[in-house]
Amino acid sequence: MPYVEVNGLRKKYRDSFELRNISFHLGKGEVFTLMGPSGSGKTSLLRNICGLDTPDAGSIVIDGREVNDLPTTRRGIGLIFQDLAIFPHMTVFDNIAYGLRAKRAAESEVRSRVMELSSILSIEDLLDRYPSQVSGGQRQRIALARSVAPSPSLLLLDEPLSSLDQQLRADVRSELKSFSRELGLTMIYVTHDHHEGLYMADSAGIIFDGRLEKSGSPMDIFESPGSEKVSSFLGYNVISLKGRRIAFYPTDFEISMEKGDVRGVVRSIGYEGEFYRAHVETESHESLQLTFPHENGTVRIKTGQSVNIILRRSVEIE
């Protein structure tokens, strides 16, 4: 039986934006990632789940209990938003302890829980410091520890790593996944980065304009995107070929000096470290992004060159 269920949720906003008939579920200890571009409805959906907004229709059920009519404080939900909202005037210890003390937990229980979480997250040496005295990655860990300290039924994370640089973001993401497994956290994780979303997920959904366009396992979503919107969001090239709309990933091709599936002209090419990236305009004026490794520091194609492209793998889309 699902531990969290969102069934037919709808919400109309004054600016004409609407969450439309959204349904998904996840089991206890699972991570559901919600992906989509800015303005697609990701944060609006979280606000309805946690009680900051009230849906016009549909139900939100957590551990067998419908929570639609419960205030945020009684839903047993932990929240981590983009700005983290760590209290600057409190030490790291007091920040983590805040939720437990609000529930009037015994101080011995507070200390034990803070020490447990700080040890797991490797921030036990920071407990006497203030937020201004720690790094960005450490603040992320503090916010996470504070959110899970009261043992919430569900943890909501709204792009919690967006302020970090690329390498730190990857490191903290790995730690967060390990941490969630160790504690058996049930989470809904929101991101606009599909690499991050697929990595974190047990199951996932992609939302556009308030509608859940695609949901399923990370592999199902990536291997069978289904629509042009989802394909483009996942980084596929989308083109028309022999009367069909197809999508192929920027690495799933070969360059041929003979015939190919697609013919085009290289408009630009550049080195990105692990690979070269080429922008190709097809004969039908569609734009393609192609990525490929260099060969002994050189690249086989040049700007202005006509190329034939053989597709190694493609999927048909709506």
Side-chain angles (χ1 to χ4, degrees), residues 93-147:
F93 184 101
D94 290 335
N95 263 282
I96 298 172
Y98 180 81
L100 289 166
R101 287 173 172 162
K103 294 173 66 175
R104 301 186 183 280
E107 196 61 27
S108 59
E109 179 186 346
V110 171
R111 176 163 291 278
S112 175
R113 183 66 166 162
V114 171
M115 297 308 295
E116 175 195 12
L117 294 173
S118 62
S119 176
I120 293 173
L121 290 165
S122 301
I123 55 174
E124 61 265 54
D125 294 338
L126 307 177
L127 296 178
D128 293 330
R129 298 186 191 179
Y130 288 87
S132 61
Q133 298 172 315
V134 302
S135 68
Q138 290 166 338
R139 283 194 291 273
Q140 299 287 338
R141 298 182 183 97
I142 294 164
L144 180 59
R146 185 183 63 182
S147 294

Side-chain angles (χ1 to χ4, degrees), residues 233-286:
F233 177 77
L234 293 172
Y236 281 80
N237 292 297
V238 178
I239 60 173
S240 295
L241 184 64
K242 298 178 181 178
R244 300 177 300 140
R245 290 295 278 172
I246 66 163
F248 72 97
Y249 210 63
T251 55
D252 289 337
F253 76 98
E254 294 177 5
I255 296 294
S256 171
M257 296 299 105
E258 306 297 330
K259 293 183 178 180
D261 300 300
V262 182
R263 184 172 176 81
V265 176
V266 179
R267 295 304 184 193
S268 65
I269 188 167
Y271 177 64
E272 293 192 6
E274 301 95 335
F275 49 76
Y276 281 93
R277 180 182 299 275
H279 168 216
V280 175
E281 183 181 354
T282 71
E283 290 181 323
S284 55
H285 304 293
E286 295 175 304

Side-chain angles (χ1 to χ4, degrees), residues 197-213:
L198 295 173
Y199 175 85
M200 290 295 300
D202 294 305
S203 59
I206 298 180
I207 188 172
F208 287 94
D209 300 321
R211 186 188 301 278
L212 198 61
E213 294 280 345

